[in-house]
Each structure stands twice: as C-alpha cells, then as structure tokens.
Amino acid sequence: MRVLLGIIGAVIVLGIFASVLRTLVIPRPTPAGFTGFVQRSVSRPFRFMADRLHGVEAKDRVLAPVAPVSIVITLLGWLLSFMLGYGLLEAAVSGLDVHDALYEAGSSLFTLGFASSRRAGLTAIDFCAAATGPIVVGLQIGYLPTLYNAYQRRETEVTLLQTRAGAPPWGPQILARYAQVDLLDDISDLFRGWERWCAVVSETHTTYPVLIHFRSPKADRNWLIALLAVLDAAALRLAFNPSQPQARTRLALRAGFVCLRDIADIRGIPYDADPRPEDPVRLGYEDFLRGVERMRTYGYPMERTAEEAWPHFRGWRVNYETLAYRLAQDIDAVPAPWSGPRRTTLSVWSPPTPVDRRPAS
C-alpha cells in the first residue's frame, strides 16, 4: 500500500513540475494539460451566467474575470497538488497516516515549519517541499509582467484600429474609412503593422494560451474581431483592386491565417491546411454585397464589379474564415459583421461611421 502511495505521490509531483515548466519557463508552445483543464473548469460557471444575460456589455462584464481567475486558480491548483504529492510521498516513507503526512507536507510547502519531523526520510522530502513553494510562487510573480506586457502590445493595435474601422471593426469599413479620409495610398502601412502584430500574437498566444481569453478593456473591442476585419479588408483590396501593389496586402493575409492556424494547433482545433479557392464559405453573397455597398457609399474605387470580385474574395477568405468563426464562438467575442454566430446570439451589424463633414469651399 505504501509503495502505491509513493508511486502516486511521485507521479503527481513530477507531473505538476512538468506543468509549471511548460507554462512558466519553456518559451515555446506546449500541450495545455493541467492549465487547460483549469481554464475549462473555471470558464464553465462564468459562461453559464453569461449565456443567461442579454446585451454585449453585460456578457462582457461576466466573462472578463475568466482569464485572471484561471491564473489564480492554476497557482492554487499547483500548490495543492504539490501538497498532495509530497504528502503521499511522506506517507510512503514513514509510519504516518495520510492525514498527518499531508499536514506535514503542507507545513513545509508553505514554509510554516510547525509540523516538521526529525526523521531523515521525511526531512529530505520536507526540504524539497519547502523549496517548491517559494519557487512556484516566484515564477508565477515573474510570469505576470510578461503576460500583461504581451496583452498591452496586442491591445494597442486593436485600439488604434477603432478610428479606422469603428467598434466592433469590420473589413469593408476599414476600406471605406480610408477612402473617406483620402488615405488609400497609405493603406500598405496598416497591413505592414498588422503583419508584425500577427507574428507577435502568434508567438505570445501559443506560448501563453491564457492570453487568448483576455478580453479588451471595452466590450465592443476584441483582438480576434480586429484581426478578422483586417484580413477581410486585405482580401477585399486584392479582390477589387488587382492593379494596386499587392505585396504588403498578401503578406498581411498570410501572416493572419498562419497566426490563426498556430492558435488552432495549440487548442487542438482541426482545419484544412490547403483549402481550394472554390471551396464554400459561410459568408453569404448578400452579406458581401452589403459590405460592398458600404465601400461604394464612401467613395472606395473599385476596378471590378461585385460579381467579378466575389470569387477572388471567397478564394482568400476560405483560408481563415472557419478558424476565425470557431475561435470567435469559443471565446465569446463581441458580435460583429462577417464574424459568424455566437453560442447565444447571432452576429450583428455595426453602426455606420458618421460622414466626414468638411467645410464647403
């Protein structure tokens, strides 16, 4: 029996050590394991409450604490698991029952020391437990600034996009707004910036998957919806303006769907790695025409008709639409045009951007 307790205790301690290393130390995407289980468990009650509320802001207020709370619960879960593992090890090498062994392990892990034993076998385990507690807490404290720095870098571009696309953002609105303020010659700068943004998000959100669930400071903004809007703007630009420079636009598009695929890989979401341009998309042609009309209203120049551009736009969108819709549903992103349905509400149309009024000459 004690041998079995020792084996179980060793497996728990080594398994949690591996989880701590994968989450806080190793700078590369690794399977979620324990942290993924905690994230799913924590999110269920919040999502249950959010599903029974009406209104985007009310849902967002309920869902906003999910990621921070999961970080705290993860730390507590690690410490309690270490206490259980060390307690079973101490029960295996001594005559203590499980209750007393857990009591001594907890005393050592949290560096209280009130239940330390003088037996050599237990003292060695007590030393390991006493070192483990501060190390795990220290690593978690050092992890938080890195996490929030990555969050701030992500949200800066999302906030800047609001002036170009409204809130929530929408691909046709980006092109319409750029045409409205005579900035189409500079739109390559937007795509260049979002190409780099995609690289940063791909690296940080696969290394620290909890960032996927961190919500923007305002309910009508969301990192995924912003990315989808930029990708749609790039696809529309390529579909309607084949004579314009395409390098930056294509690079931004590719960076965007590679980013989505990297995040899908870490979350275990299947996808077609090589879709065909003629494959169907969920966005309907009528919704596409509504977006085209928005662009035309604000004076966006088009070299192709909507009918001619549709196959080209669809051929680009097939690379990212499925993953964007799935992730938007998973994280309960703010409903927005061309972003698919949510679990409890359908996508909505954003209010029109006011006309850029200028003094008459």
Side-chain angles (χ1 to χ4, degrees), residues 56-359:
V56 171
E57 292 189 358
K59 291 177 180 289
D60 185 76
R61 281 195 299 269
V62 171
L63 294 172
V66 170
V69 168
S70 70
I71 293 174
V72 175
I73 298 298
T74 297
L75 175 60
L76 294 177
W78 281 335
L79 294 175
L80 292 176
S81 297
F82 274 126
M83 187 176 75
L84 175 62
Y86 282 124
L88 294 178
L89 285 173
E90 294 194 350
V93 300
S94 70
L96 297 176
D97 60 26
V98 174
H99 178 271
D100 291 337
L102 289 173
Y103 189 71
E104 179 156 339
S107 167
S108 300
L109 183 69
F110 297 104
T111 65
L112 300 175
F114 58 78
S116 180
S117 171
R118 291 175 178 267
R119 282 172 285 191
L122 289 182
T123 300
I125 297 175
D126 284 339
F127 282 161
C128 291
T132 297
I135 287 174
V136 172
V137 173
L139 287 174
Q140 185 81 333
I141 292 173
Y143 162 79
L144 290 177
T146 302
L147 199 69
Y148 281 94
N149 181 57
Y151 169 77
Q152 290 171 351
R153 292 167 66 189
R154 184 191 80 185
E155 290 301 313
T156 298
E157 291 297 328
V158 174
T159 302
L160 286 172
L161 189 66
Q162 183 172 356
T163 61
R164 295 167 170 84
W170 181 30
Q173 189 64 52
I174 295 177
L175 299 183
R177 183 61 177 167
Y178 266 78
Q180 183 181 2
V181 296
D182 299 326
L183 280 177
L184 285 174
D185 291 339
D186 298 328
I187 199 168
S188 293
D189 294 337
L190 174 74
F191 295 135
R192 183 187 296 112
W194 276 81
E195 179 192 355
R196 183 173 295 276
W197 182 93
C198 289
V200 171
V201 169
S202 178
E203 188 273 328
T204 56
H205 287 51
T206 55
T207 303
Y208 309 114
V210 71
L211 281 169
I212 298 170
H213 297 274
F214 268 84
R215 306 181 76 83
S216 294
K218 291 190 175 181
D220 57 2
R221 295 203 296 258
N222 179 269
W223 67 270
L224 178 63
I225 301 304
L227 173 58
L228 179 59
V230 172
L231 294 181
D232 281 337
L236 288 166
R237 181 76 170 165
L238 293 172
F240 278 100
N241 304 93
S243 69
Q244 296 298 315
Q246 296 190 355
R248 288 295 177 188
T249 312
R250 285 174 175 265
L251 288 173
L253 257 176
R254 181 163 185 82
F257 67 73
V258 167
C259 173
L260 291 175
R261 290 178 181 185
D262 287 344
I263 293 173
D265 288 337
I266 201 68
R267 293 176 63 85
I269 299 174
Y271 58 87
D272 184 357
D274 188 24
R276 300 178 63 84
E278 61 270 18
D279 287 347
V281 294
R282 293 172 63 182
L283 179 70
Y285 184 62
E286 292 299 320
D287 285 338
F288 172 75
L289 291 179
R290 296 172 74 177
V292 173
E293 183 59 30
R294 175 66 61 85
M295 294 158 57
R296 183 179 292 112
T297 299
Y298 292 104
Y300 182 80
M302 303 178 188
E303 300 170 19
R304 290 173 172 151
T305 66
E307 185 177 1
E308 293 170 337
W310 169 245
H312 298 276
F313 174 76
R314 187 183 61 193
W316 285 111
R317 202 172 207 260
V318 74
N319 290 286
Y320 57 86
E321 183 192 73
T322 300
L323 288 180
Y325 280 19
R326 167 66 186 275
L327 287 170
Q329 192 171 42
D330 285 354
I331 67 175
D332 287 292
V334 55
W338 293 15
S339 66
R342 303 295 180 266
R343 290 181 301 107
T344 57
T345 183
L346 297 176
S347 180
V348 298
W349 291 95
S350 59
T353 299
V355 175
D356 186 18
R357 306 289 185 186
R358 302 181 181 180

